[in-house]
Amino acid sequence: MERPYWHLGGDAPTHPGVLALVRRVGLAVRPVVSVLRRASPRVAAAVVVLQLLAGAATTSTLLLGTEVLGRLLAQAPGFSQPRVVLGPLLLLGLMLLVKLGLDSATAMMGAYLAPRVHRVAEEALFRVSLDVELACFDDPAFYDRLHRARDRGLMHLEGATTALVEALSALFSVGGAALALLWLHPLLLPLLVVALLPEGWAALHAARLQYVGMATTISLTRQAQMMAELATQRESAPEIRANQAQDYILAEYRQSAVALQDHLVHLGLLGAKAALWGRLMSGLGLVATFVALGMMLHAQWLGLAVAGTAVMAIRSASTALTQLMVMMHGLFEKGLYISDYREFIEESSSRVRPPSGVEAPEQPGRIELQGVSFQYPGQEGRLALRDISLTLEAGQSIALVGENGSGKSTLARLIGGLYHPSAGRIAWDGVDVRELTPDSVADRVVMVLQDPIRWPRSARDNVRLGRHRRVDPDARALREAAEQSRAHEVIDTLPRGWETLLSRQFLGGQDLSGGQWQRLAVARGLYRDAPLVILDEPTAPLDAKAEHAVYESLRKLARGRTVVLITHRLASVRNADRIYFLERGALVEQGRHEELMRENGRYAELYRLQTKLHGLDDDSE
Ligand SMILES: Nc1ncnc2c1ncn2[C@@H]1O[C@H](COP(=O)(O)OP(=O)(O)OP(=O)(O)O)[C@@H](O)[C@H]1O
C-alpha cells in the first residue's frame, strides 16, 4: 500500500541499539557536512579548529587550577607567600579569558553558518526542482518527496548545523577534561568513565525513547499540519466555506492534534522519568567518585590538589556530556527529516536532463511524430496516448479536438518538447528531439495554457516573464504585445498601471479576473515571440466578448508561426489547416473541417451537437 504523505519512518526498530542511534545521527550529520563544504568550507574548518583550541584551553585551565590549588594547599594553614600563587593564578585567568573568547567566536561562526546552510540547501532544492523533467511532477512519489524535503528537510538542516556545532563543542570539552585527568594521574581516566557512565546510560535511554516515539510524532504532526494549512490558506478558503466544510476540517485537525498531544504527553512523562533516573544515577556516580577519590587519597596515589581538580574536571565533563546528549537528541530527530531532503536531491539529480545535444533549428520547418505513445509515471498499463503519427509543417495551424481526457493536452506538451514519448519518436527537421538541447527546444516554443500561471509580480513582470532576457529598452515590444492582446485595456484599469502588483496576498496588491489574467497570458506569449505556438484552451474561462477579443489577438500571434490549438469550441477550429480528433489517446479522424464534416464521423457529430446547443446555424458543409 502507498504510504500517506504524513507517514514517515514507520520502519524504526522498537529497541534500537547504540549503533542504530549513531547511524541516525549520521543521517543528520552527513548532509549538513556536505552542505557546509559548499556553503562556507573555510568558516566550517575554522569552527573545528576553534573548538579544538577551546578543548585544549579546558585542559590547560584544569591543569593550571591544579597548580594554583597545590600552591595554596602547600601554604596551609597560613597564607604567607601569596606571590607564589600569583603567577599561575594570572595564567589561569588569562586562559579562562581565552576560552571565553574561543567559545564566543565559535558561537558567532555557528550563527554565521546556519542561515548559509539553509540558503545553499534551499537553492540546491530549487535548482533540481526547476531542472527535472516535467514528467516528475506527474509522479506522486516525486511530488511527495519534494514537499517533505521542502517543508521539513530544509528547516531541520539549519537547526542541525547549530546542533552539530554545539555537539562538537561539548565533545571537545569532555575530551579536554579527559586529557587533563590523564595528565594528572592515569587512574583518573577510568574514574571519569565510571562517573559519566550512569548519566550516559540515562541519556541514551532517553534518546532511545525519543527515537522510538519519533515516527509517530512526525506522522501526527504532519497530519495536523495538513489540516492547519487547509484552514489558513487563501486558495482553500472559498471552497471550504462554499462546501460548509469548516467543522469537518476542524474535526480532522482535532483528531490528529489530540492524538499528537496525548502522544507528546506520554513521551514527556517517560522522558521525565528517565531524567529522574538519570539524576539519581548521576548522584550515585558522584558518590562513587568521591569514594574512589578518598581511597586514592588514602593510598597516597594522589594529592589533595589533584583530587580537587579531578572533582572539577568530572563536573565540567558531566555538564558537557549532558549538553552533548541534548544535541544528539536534536540530531536524531532532525536526521529523519534531513534524510528526506538528501534522498530527494539525490534522486532528482538523476532526473535532470543534461544540457547536451545539438541546437534546435531557429525556425523548425517540419515537426514529425512517428508512432508516439505516452504513459504518465505511475500509470502502468494506461497509455495517455497511443501510436500517434502526424506531421506539422512550418506556418501551418492545426487543431487538436476531442472529449475530456482524450489526450489533447498531453499531445500538445509532447509536441512542445515538455514530455518525451514512452514509445515512438518526435523529430524536428529530421532530428530526434531527445538529441536537441532542452533549452534550445524550449526557446522555440510559446505556450498559452488554459489556467496560466498568476505570477505574484507586477503587471509588467507578468508579461516580461515570457522572455525575461529579452532586450526591450524603451518597452516597445512590451507595449505592442499588450496592445495586440488587448491586455492594455486591463493595464489601464489598474491603480498603478504596469507597476501594479498582481497579488492580493501582499498589501497594495490587486487580483484580476480569469479573463484578465488570460489576456496577460496572451500578451506574455506575444512578447515571448517564438516560431511554434501552442494554445491549450486559451479562452476557456472567458465570456463571449473576451473570447472573441482573445481569438483576435491569437490570430495576430499565429501570423507566420506554426500553431497547435486545443479547444472545445469547434467553431474556432474551422479555419485550421488540419484538425485531429482524438479519442482515448488515439487519433481517430483527421482532415480539414469540410472533409471531416463530409466524413460524418465523430467530429461532425460533435460539431452539430455544439451548433445545436449554441443555437447557431449549421452552415458548415
Ligand atoms: N499528470 C497526469 N498524471 C496521470 N495521468 C494524467 C495526467 N494528466 C492527464 N492524465 C491522464 O491522461 C489522459 C489524457 O489527459 P489530457 O489532459 O491530455 O486530456 P485532454 O484531452 O487534454 O483533456 P481535457 O479536455 O479535459 O483538458 C487522461 O486520461 C488523464 O486522466
Side-chain angles (χ1 to χ4, degrees), residues 222-533:
R222 293 176 147 205
Q223 230 170 316
Q225 188 90 24
M226 257 173 45
M227 288 300 139
E229 275 166 17
L230 276 178
T232 53
Q233 273 172 1
R234 184 169 180 253
E235 291 76 17
S236 46
E239 273 203 55
I240 289 175
R241 282 152 186 78
N243 291 319
Q244 295 173 297
Q246 293 94 330
D247 291 343
Y248 170 80
I249 301 267
L250 209 57
E252 286 279 310
Y253 161 78
R254 201 174 287 136
Q255 198 182 12
S256 37
V258 168
L260 176 66
Q261 157 201 299
D262 293 348
H263 174 70
L264 289 178
V265 168
H266 175 66
L267 273 189
L269 289 179
L270 284 179
K273 233 192 268 175
L276 179 66
W277 272 108
R279 293 185 70 174
L280 270 177
M281 308 255 292
S282 117
L284 279 179
L286 196 63
V287 171
T289 312
F290 277 122
V291 170
L293 277 176
M295 283 163 65
M296 286 163 95
L297 275 172
H298 182 69
Q300 296 193 338
W301 287 352
L302 37 89
L304 252 183
V306 172
T309 307
V311 173
M312 279 196 299
I314 289 172
R315 287 326 294 158
S316 96
S318 149
T319 312
L321 187 77
T322 311
Q323 162 87 346
L324 180 65
M325 289 302 163
V326 170
M327 291 305 134
M328 292 298 226
H329 279 194
L331 289 171
F332 287 133
E333 183 187 347
K334 294 174 196 332
L336 271 174
Y337 294 116
I338 292 172
S339 60
D340 276 349
Y341 173 84
R342 188 180 49 86
E343 280 166 20
F344 172 75
I345 296 282
E346 280 172 9
E347 284 181 35
S348 308
S349 304
S350 65
R351 295 173 78 172
V352 174
R353 285 195 65 213
S356 56
V358 290
E359 282 276 301
E362 283 288 338
Q363 300 283 336
R366 162 185 284 206
I367 297 175
E368 275 177 293
L369 278 74
Q370 298 160 344
V372 166
S373 296
F374 182 77
Q375 177 185 294
Y376 279 101
Q379 301 284 311
E380 274 67 32
R382 281 190 58 211
L383 285 178
L385 291 176
R386 59 190 79 227
D387 200 17
I388 305 262
S389 295
L390 62 86
T391 303
L392 184 53
E393 303 286 351
Q396 224 184 20
S397 74
I398 67 162
L400 304 178
V401 295
E403 291 175 10
N404 288 131
S406 54
K408 305 179 293 292
S409 299
T410 310
L411 181 55
R413 286 171 182 211
L414 275 150
I415 295 174
L418 289 180
Y419 291 137
H420 289 290
S422 315
R425 174 174 184 268
I426 299 180
W428 283 29
D429 288 344
V431 183
D432 194 320
V433 176
R434 285 178 190 276
E435 289 164 23
L436 303 174
T437 58
D439 234 26
S440 67
V441 172
D443 188 69
R444 316 293 188 256
V445 184
V446 169
M447 280 209 182
V448 181
L449 304 176
Q450 177 182 355
D451 193 10
I453 185 160
R454 300 174 176 200
W455 298 95
R457 308 294 298 264
S458 66
R460 179 187 301 277
D461 285 349
N462 263 277
V463 177
R464 278 183 49 82
L465 271 161
R467 199 175 284 281
H468 65 275
R469 292 203 194 96
R470 181 168 179 174
V471 182
D472 182 24
D474 51 3
R476 190 189 305 169
L478 184 81
R479 276 201 308 275
E480 256 175 37
E483 269 159 36
Q484 287 186 2
S485 60
R486 297 182 55 186
H488 69 293
E489 291 170 8
V490 179
I491 310 292
D492 287 347
T493 63
L494 296 173
R496 297 186 55 223
W498 279 108
E499 307 314 323
T500 310
L501 172 68
L502 299 181
S503 168
R504 286 288 298 281
Q505 287 188 3
F506 301 98
L507 203 65
Q510 172 104 10
D511 204 357
L512 300 180
S513 74
Q516 291 172 323
W517 275 113
Q518 203 68 25
R519 287 198 204 180
L520 280 194
V522 176
R524 188 154 61 232
L526 282 161
Y527 186 78
R528 180 163 174 74
D529 188 21
L532 174 60
V533 179

Side-chain angles (χ1 to χ4, degrees), residues 32 36 110 113-115 117-118 156-167 331 334 338:
V32 172
L36 271 175
L113 281 178
V117 162
H118 183 95
H156 287 285
L157 257 172
E158 186 174 350
T161 310
T162 315
L164 183 63
V165 170
E166 288 181 19
L331 289 171
K334 294 174 196 332
I338 292 172

Side-chain angles (χ1 to χ4, degrees), residues 537-573:
E537 295 188 49
T539 58
L542 305 189
D543 60 42
K545 192 166 162 236
E547 182 179 7
H548 179 73
V550 167
Y551 267 115
E552 279 294 301
S553 38
L554 286 177
R555 249 188 281 285
K556 287 177 190 142
L557 174 60
R559 235 173 260 156
R561 297 185 172 92
T562 312
V563 177
V564 177
L565 170 66
I566 297 177
T567 180
H568 285 287
R569 321 222 173 166
L570 300 187
S572 340
V573 305

